[in-house]
Amino acid sequence: MTVNPDNLVLLFTTTCGASGELLGSDEKETVQLVWQVLNLITKKPGPVNEVLVKPEGGCMSEECVEVTGISAEALISAAPLDEALSQINTSAGNSFCLCTDGQLHLRQVLHPEASSKNVLLPECFFSFFDLRKEFNKCYPPEADRKDLDLQSMADCHTFSCPEKVNEKFETGTCSKMERIDDNTVIRARGLPWQSSDQDVARFFRGLNIAKGGAALCLNAQGRRNGEALVRFENEEHRDLALQRHKHHMGSRYIEVYKATGEDFLKIAGGTSNEVANFLSRENQVIVRMRGLPFTATAEQVLQFFSPSCPVTDGSEGILFVRFPDGRPTGDAFVLFSCEEHAENALKKHKEILGKRYIELFRSTAAEVQQVLNKYSSAPLIAVAPAPILPVVPQPTFVPSTIAAVVGTRDCLRLRGLPYDASVQDILLFLGEYTADIRPHGVHMVLNQQGRPSGDAFIQMRSAERAYLAAHRCHKRSMKERYVEVFPCSAQEMNIVLMGGSLSRSGLSPPPCKLRRKCLWAVGLLLSAVRAGRWRFTPSSSSFPLFLSLVQIVWRSPVHTVPDENKSGQQEQ
């Protein structure tokens, strides 16, 4: 952006905390504004203006009192921030641009404070000249700058390209193939669970976040975990963001750490054309629906929201989330054209669609990518898949334990995974052996509550590669936890995925209601035999019924996997 202002306003701020290179890093309020107007046409500077600003709370630091000489008594009758800023507009004229000594006065002091106090800054505070950068353009680094001032610089330099402060955060999409500079990404931790990407942008007000550069992180259950990855336009703004470590969002302090471009792509990057088309509509508000009936259609969703909150582009503004095999997950994302429609939609939280109440949440483009990536990579096994090989042979009599399962050990069992571990984390953990995994060969194991159990099974291309992977990766660390890796067979994997458990003592059958009922019936028959009230032989007509009950007891499948430490109690 090129401008030709008539006046430059040289602006300095003072806070009741740190000064110099640490200005604004301690989240202290502004107590003084000093400015001078320089006419670029006549090259004449105006008088130095000073106004005290009344802070809303807190006391002045000893450093501030010593440097400025401002006393606490003098601030009692001072003007509030919005009135003090309006005085700059009045004295500067119509055509002017701000000029500051570095980035801190505007980006780290005035913009964050105005945002926290809900003060609307005039338009002139969203562009400025950085004197340090302008001096570097005008003079070589080795030049003597002791006698330089703004007036002498104005005689030989043209101020034409000011820096810009983004007024609002722009949403957008990000491709996994995009290259992102590691020096532009941070991780924010400790966010309130209901915060949105706009709240994150508000926390970093004054710093330029890249388009679509705020990505809220989700846990393994698809819920926000209080973290966000933020991508800035350049390294300078990333470094300023790190200075906001432990600044507050409401009553919570937010931790800010360095992150990498790979971290950001893992959360916000996507490859689906369907998602890209859905998110290509700009300036839309996204609402997430959770708990939809599996038979829900786009027409039912439109009817659920109409007429007070029409969906953008009708059915084209609805994106259903599905498993790779096309089964619905019960989630969907809906677009609304304005905040008013979105607010009306959110008022329908927990209203009924069909026979189920629907949860509604404000969402983001990055959350859409995360949810779609989660379900499109490899499904979490919540229902029993078709067995790869026969699981248990037909018993010929009541076994004392399940028959030993034998077979080629061309699978891996991972035990002790972090509960928030994803398929991508497992692939990174296996490293060079990732190439030996069969297509869709990563299976996460869930417990009875539908949550990750800390176990996973990997189908490898050969027993040799499975053995090498187990040998090399055993007790490697993943997210500060060591993970145990064992070779196992496809039969063993299937028994666990169908609801059984695999422990050092052997395999345990999957429990279910039918199995418990049949076990009770077998117990009654055996009690009758012992009491002499009923006799039967293998050739009698009652014997096939007895064997059928036994087979049901030992072969009934389930749809969830019990915790290993509870399987013994269930058997008892």
Side-chain angles (χ1 to χ4, degrees):
M1 181 179 66
T2 302
V3 296
N4 293 296
D6 295 335
N7 298 314
L8 277 183
V9 178
L10 182 59
L11 176 65
F12 289 89
T13 62
T14 305
T15 69
C16 56
S19 59
E21 297 302 319
L22 296 178
L23 181 69
S25 63
D26 52 4
E27 217 176 356
K28 297 297 184 181
E29 296 178 87
T30 303
V31 295
Q32 183 186 44
L33 294 175
V34 180
W35 72 94
Q36 183 181 25
V37 180
L38 173 66
N39 190 305
L40 293 177
I41 299 175
T42 63
K43 311 297 183 184
K44 292 182 179 180
V48 176
N49 303 278
E50 176 187 354
V51 61
L52 296 181
V53 182
K54 184 178 181 180
E56 294 182 354
C59 57
M60 297 185 61
S61 65
E62 295 180 0
E63 179 185 1
C64 179
V65 174
E66 181 180 350
V67 172
T68 63
I70 301 174
S71 62
E73 292 76 15
L75 297 176
I76 296 177
S77 59
L81 180 63
D82 53 346
E83 293 182 12
L85 294 174
S86 65
Q87 296 184 33
I88 299 177
N89 271 346
T90 305
S91 64
N94 294 326
S95 176
F96 71 93
C97 191
L98 295 177
C99 189
T100 62
D101 180 21
Q103 303 276 314
L104 303 181
H105 299 279
L106 275 178
R107 295 195 185 275
Q108 294 288 73
V109 178
L110 288 182
H111 277 279
E113 184 175 346
S115 176
S116 64
K117 294 181 178 179
N118 293 319
V119 173
L120 185 62
L121 288 175
E123 186 179 354
C124 61
F125 285 87
F126 290 90
S127 61
F128 69 101
F129 292 103
D130 183 345
L131 268 182
R132 300 183 184 183
K133 295 181 180 179
E134 297 299 324
F135 272 120
N136 288 333
K137 294 177 184 177
C138 189
Y139 299 96
E142 63 274 6
D144 186 7
R145 307 183 186 187
K146 292 182 180 179
D147 298 326
L148 289 178
D149 57 23
L150 184 60
Q151 184 177 359
S152 62
M153 181 180 172
D155 293 334
C156 62
H157 180 68
T158 301
F159 292 86
S160 59
C161 296
E163 293 202 25
K164 180 183 176 183
V165 180
N166 290 344
E167 294 190 45
K168 63 179 183 179
F169 169 68
E170 295 184 51
T171 61
T173 60
C174 178
S175 170
K176 280 190 177 293
M177 306 305 295
E178 189 173 343
R179 297 179 65 87
I180 295 180
D181 186 359
D182 289 344
N183 296 320
T184 62
V185 182
I186 62 93
R187 181 185 296 274
R189 182 178 298 163
L191 300 168
W193 68 267
Q194 71 273 25
S195 58
S196 65
D197 54 354
Q198 297 294 340
D199 295 320
V200 174
R202 182 183 175 94
F203 177 79
F204 290 108
R205 183 65 58 84
L207 307 178
N208 292 350
I209 299 176
K211 184 177 180 179
L216 298 170
C217 302
L218 306 180
N219 60 19
Q221 287 75 46
R223 303 177 186 271
R224 295 172 186 173
N225 62 5
E227 294 189 5
L229 287 162
V230 185
R231 175 191 177 192
F232 294 92
E233 289 186 351
N234 53 51
E235 183 178 357
E236 181 182 30
H237 289 200
R238 192 284 307 265
D239 292 340
L240 292 176
L242 292 172
Q243 294 183 17
R244 300 194 187 183
H245 180 59
K246 293 196 174 181
H247 283 202
H248 288 77
M249 180 184 290
S251 59
R252 299 175 65 100
Y253 72 83
I254 308 301
E255 300 174 358
V256 183
Y257 304 100
K258 290 182 180 179
T260 65
E262 183 181 355
D263 294 334
F264 185 82
L265 289 176
K266 188 183 297 185
I267 298 300
T271 57
S272 171
N273 291 330
E274 183 184 13
V275 178
N277 293 333
F278 177 77
L279 298 175
S280 62
R281 305 170 181 85
E282 296 185 354
N283 302 320
Q284 300 291 312
V285 183
I286 306 174
V287 171
R288 181 180 181 183
M289 305 181 71
R290 192 164 61 198
L292 286 168
F294 293 148
T295 57
T297 63
E299 288 72 20
Q300 290 176 315
V301 173
L302 292 174
Q303 187 176 3
F304 177 80
F305 286 115
S306 65
S308 59
C309 35
V311 177
T312 301
D313 296 337
S315 59
E316 296 295 324
I318 304 172
L319 178 65
F320 288 99
V321 183
R322 301 181 184 278
F323 288 107
D325 59 3
R327 291 182 295 113
T329 65
D331 282 24
F333 293 94
V334 185
L335 296 177
F336 295 95
S337 59
C338 62
E339 286 288 341
E340 180 183 358
H341 291 169
E343 289 297 332
N344 290 336
L346 292 172
K347 292 178 182 178
K348 295 180 176 289
H349 180 60
K350 291 196 175 182
E351 288 191 9
I352 302 298
L353 193 159
K355 295 183 179 181
R356 304 190 63 176
Y357 72 84
I358 308 301
E359 296 178 289
L360 300 174
F361 308 94
R362 186 181 293 270
S363 188
T364 66
E367 183 172 346
V368 176
Q369 295 281 22
Q370 283 184 81
V371 173
L372 268 294
N373 290 343
K374 171 187 174 183
Y375 286 109
S376 63
S377 55
L380 298 178
I381 304 300
V383 295
I388 298 174
L389 294 173
V391 181
V392 182
Q394 295 280 349
T396 57
F397 197 69
V398 181
S400 58
T401 61
I402 285 187
V405 178
V406 294
T408 305
R409 292 183 173 271
D410 56 353
C411 298
L412 293 176
R413 182 192 183 193
L414 275 60
R415 187 170 64 187
L417 293 169
Y419 291 127
D420 60 346
S422 65
V423 174
Q424 292 294 330
D425 295 325
I426 292 176
L427 297 180
L428 291 174
F429 173 80
L430 292 176
E432 61 182 292
Y433 298 101
T434 301
D436 300 308
I437 300 176
R438 294 182 182 178
H440 302 291
V442 181
H443 305 286
M444 307 289 284
V445 182
L446 303 183
N447 60 21
Q448 287 182 327
Q449 290 73 42
R451 298 177 180 175
S453 65
D455 282 21
F457 285 93
I458 317 293
Q459 292 176 266
M460 306 294 285
R461 295 189 182 277
S462 66
E464 292 76 13
R465 298 301 291 177
Y467 173 80
L468 288 175
H471 180 71
R472 296 283 180 85
C473 300
H474 185 57
K475 292 195 174 181
R476 275 189 187 175
S477 294
M478 179 190 296
K479 296 183 178 181
E480 300 181 356
R481 295 188 62 174
Y482 75 83
V483 178
E484 297 176 289
V485 183
F486 308 100
C488 67
S489 66
Q491 296 97 319
E492 294 170 326
M493 178 187 73
N494 271 276
I495 286 179
V496 175
L497 293 181
M498 290 181 67
S501 62
L502 181 62
S503 60
R504 294 178 181 177
S505 59
L507 292 166
S508 299
C512 71
K513 292 182 180 179
L514 177 62
R515 179 175 176 270
R516 287 194 294 269
K517 291 179 180 179
C518 294
L519 187 61
W520 172 77
V522 170
L524 288 179
L525 289 175
L526 294 178
S527 298
V529 171
R530 284 196 297 268
R533 294 192 298 270
W534 185 41
R535 292 177 178 274
F536 71 96
T537 63
S539 59
S540 66
S541 59
S542 303
F543 191 70
L545 173 63
F546 179 74
L547 279 184
S548 298
L549 291 173
V550 171
Q551 290 181 19
I552 292 175
V553 167
W554 293 108
R555 297 193 62 198
S556 297
V558 303
H559 297 301
T560 55
V561 179
D563 293 334
E564 289 186 9
N565 56 355
K566 297 181 181 179
S567 61
Q569 300 175 6
Q570 293 173 348
E571 292 301 319
Q572 294 173 4

